[in-house]
């Protein structure tokens, strides 16, 4: 199935590498293939033809051979489930949007008819063919590249899922997925690889199944807080969840966390996809959420997880007076979940598997109260200058705040200078900063802490090298916003309780629940 597997650092260093099939006709050293692969991924935009990296300023469509067909190449879409093969990607050097997941809209031909073009940076596709004739597939996890090569006609979706499973198992056994953790635990990880893949074919990919075949102990990278020593704890460090699923040792070979109490961590994660128009009104909005768990319970007892009593699944089942109730469009559950009591009590019962797993995936569309509202405005101040005003209002309670907020404002390609002026309306705003990145022709506005109930404004004075036209104005924006809000969720889906199904005397585990809301695509049109 696969010929080789390797893990590369953000600098391109090979951390792990394992060969499963060797081709006699290929005489180059293994290292040369990984270096060539990394250069391809790192400098993907520089290796593409100029026509494949242009964008029509009028329509926003990519120009060149993309997810449509052109006269020179025939393309293949990788995103289809269960379709497409790795060896059918011979034209991948000229592919853009479909495989890489970048951009939207129809891809036009290179005949632009005088419209303005600007270069667009794109991520490399997950699958492409190298000059050695091998198909290379990869995923990115925490800056690390998990990749493999194959000369077989395999399903790309299957191999990408295999790489994701390998990354998950590595994280479960190391506690955290980082370059340092992999380097310190390379003996353990090679042992896991021997059990997971045999002669290039996947064998065991579940954390709990691998436990009985693995004998090496993981080495923890940093000390994990021991919550068992806390007296009546109500909160725990976010790093407390980064523990291996099996007994671990430190750098000196001594066991750590011998007295660690039984614990289970529950995360309610929600990713927002929102599009605003230029007036600040919502055009489209969806929530992709999940309830994720990581269990450190001895004896693997049965658990009961209760959600909102008034939870409604499916909009067609919602009554006319469903205001204030949580209505989910669709829901999917983990295989271990027993749904016997879900219909009448909204209670899930299950035996938690080892490691990190997702109990519930859910999706919600329609109107909901977004945590931030974006209000942009553009005003021409001269023939070659204009001023952009971006106002962002936090519409959540003052007790919540947005962390690591980054606002990106693309500017026209003919911009010469841009001066930023921030109007901070609250003293609690943490470390606001704005700068013009001349190389990328964009403004980056960062706010470490954005308190709820406040409003922040950025004014950008832009100077152009030529007169401002309607085509140049179309190159402004859209405004893209990235943020994370701890202990807050938009859908109002709550965990009522998490209990052990059976009454076990003396068994009192620690139960940690965390709510996190993140932006996945938070965009405002100009």
């Amino acid at each position: 199935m696969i010929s080789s597997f390797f893990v590369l650092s953000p600098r391109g260093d090979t951390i792990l590498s394992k060969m499963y099939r060797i081709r006699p006709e290929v005489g180059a050293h293994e290292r040369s293939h990984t270096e060539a692969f990394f250069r391809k991924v790192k400098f993907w935009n520089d290796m593409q033809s100029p026509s494949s990296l242009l964008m029509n300023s009028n329509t926003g469509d990519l120009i060149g051979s993309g997810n449509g067909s052109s006269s020179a190449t025939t393309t293949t879409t990788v995103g289809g489930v269960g379709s497409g093969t790795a060896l059918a990607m011979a034209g991948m050097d000229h592919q853009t949007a479909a495989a890489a997941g970048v951009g939207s809209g129809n891809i036009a031909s290179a005949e632009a008819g005088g419209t303005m073009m600007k270069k667009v940076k794109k991520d490399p596709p997950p699958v492409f063919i190298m000059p050695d004739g091998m198909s290379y597939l990869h995923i990115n996890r925490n800056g690390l590249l998990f990749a493999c090569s194959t000369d077989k006609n395999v399903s790309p979706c299957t191999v990408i899922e295999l790489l994701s499973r390998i990354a998950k198992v590595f994280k479960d056994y190391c506690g955290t997925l980082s370059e340092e953790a992999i380097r310190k635990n390379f003996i353990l990880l090679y042992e896991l690889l021997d059990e997971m893949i045999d002669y290039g074919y996947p064998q065991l990919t579940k954390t709990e199944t691998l436990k009985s075949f693995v004998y090496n102990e993981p080495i923890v990278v940093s000390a994990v807080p021991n919550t068992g020593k806390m007296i009546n704890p109500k909160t725990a460090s976010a790093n407390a969840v980064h523990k291996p699923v099996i007994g671990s040792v430190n750098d000196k070979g001594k066991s750590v966390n011998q007295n660690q109490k039984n614990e289970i961590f529950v995360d309610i994660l929600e990713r927002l996809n929102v599009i605003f128009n230029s007036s600040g009104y919502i055009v489209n909005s969806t929530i992709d959420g999940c309830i994720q768990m990581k269990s450190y319970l001895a004896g693997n007892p049965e658990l009961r997880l209760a959600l909102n009593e008034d939870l409604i699944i499916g909009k067609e089942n919602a009554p006319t007076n469903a205001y204030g109730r949580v209505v989910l469009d669709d829901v999917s559950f983990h295989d271990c979940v027993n749904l016997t009591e879900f219909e009448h009590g909204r209670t899930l019962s299950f035996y938690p598997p080892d490691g990190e797993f997702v109990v519930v995936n859910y999706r919600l569309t329609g109107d909901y109260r977004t945590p931030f509202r974006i209000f942009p405005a553009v005003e021409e101040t001269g023939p070659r200058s204009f001023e952009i005003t971006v106002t962002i209002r936090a519409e959540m309670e003052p007790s919540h705040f947005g962390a690591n907020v980054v606002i990106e404002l693309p500017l026209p390609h003919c911009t010469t200078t841009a001066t930023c002026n921030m109007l901070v309306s609250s003293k609690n705003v943490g470390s606001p900063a704005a700068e013009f990145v001349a190389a990328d022709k964009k403004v980056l506005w960062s706010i470490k802490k954005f308190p709820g109930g406040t409003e922040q404004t950025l004014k950008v004075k832009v100077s152009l090298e030529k007169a401002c036209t309607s085509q140049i104005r179309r190159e402004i924006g859209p405004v893209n916003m990235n943020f994370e809000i701890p202990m807050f969720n938009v859908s109002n889906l709550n965990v009522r309780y998490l209990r052990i199904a059976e009454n076990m005397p003396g068994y009192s585990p620690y139960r940690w629940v965390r709510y996190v809301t993140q932006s996945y695509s938070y965009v405002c049109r100009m």
Side-chain angles (χ1 to χ4, degrees), residues 336-471:
C336 67
V337 176
N338 185 355
L339 300 175
T340 306
E341 302 180 24
F342 183 73
E343 287 298 328
H344 59 85
R346 296 307 187 207
T347 303
L348 307 175
S349 58
F350 55 91
Y351 292 92
D354 292 328
E356 193 174 81
F357 68 102
V358 176
V359 183
V360 182
N361 281 302
Y362 60 90
R363 186 172 62 93
L364 187 150
T365 61
D367 297 332
Y368 55 82
R369 187 177 180 182
T370 55
F372 293 99
R373 294 285 297 272
I374 306 175
F375 302 94
V378 181
E379 179 184 359
E380 293 190 22
T381 57
R384 298 188 178 185
S385 63
F386 57 86
E387 184 179 75
I388 303 175
T389 303
V390 179
T391 301
I392 300 179
R393 187 170 65 219
E395 297 194 336
M396 49 194 169
E397 298 296 329
S399 57
H400 300 287
F401 65 91
N404 301 321
V405 179
V406 177
I407 299 95
E408 181 179 327
L409 175 61
L411 298 178
H413 70 286
C414 58
T415 301
T416 56
T417 59
T419 305
C420 303
N421 182 25
M422 294 178 294
L423 304 178
V424 181
S425 61
S426 175
K427 297 181 180 180
N428 297 326
V429 177
S431 305
E435 63 173 344
F436 170 59
V437 183
D440 297 331
K441 302 298 183 183
K442 64 181 180 181
V443 172
L444 289 180
W445 181 20
S446 60
I447 304 174
K448 291 293 183 181
K449 183 179 180 181
F450 199 136
T454 62
E455 186 176 280
Q456 312 301 326
T457 302
L458 174 68
K459 292 183 178 292
V460 182
K461 296 182 179 179
V462 181
S463 300
L464 305 175
E465 60 185 16
K466 55 185 177 181
C468 182
T469 63
S470 59
Q471 293 178 344

Side-chain angles (χ1 to χ4, degrees), residues 469-490:
T469 63
S470 59
Q471 293 178 344
I472 293 178
R473 287 200 57 167
R474 291 191 186 100
E475 297 184 28
I476 305 173
V479 180
N480 184 34
M481 187 174 182
N482 294 309
F483 58 85
E484 180 176 299
I485 308 175
M487 299 309 297
F488 177 83
N489 70 333
V490 179

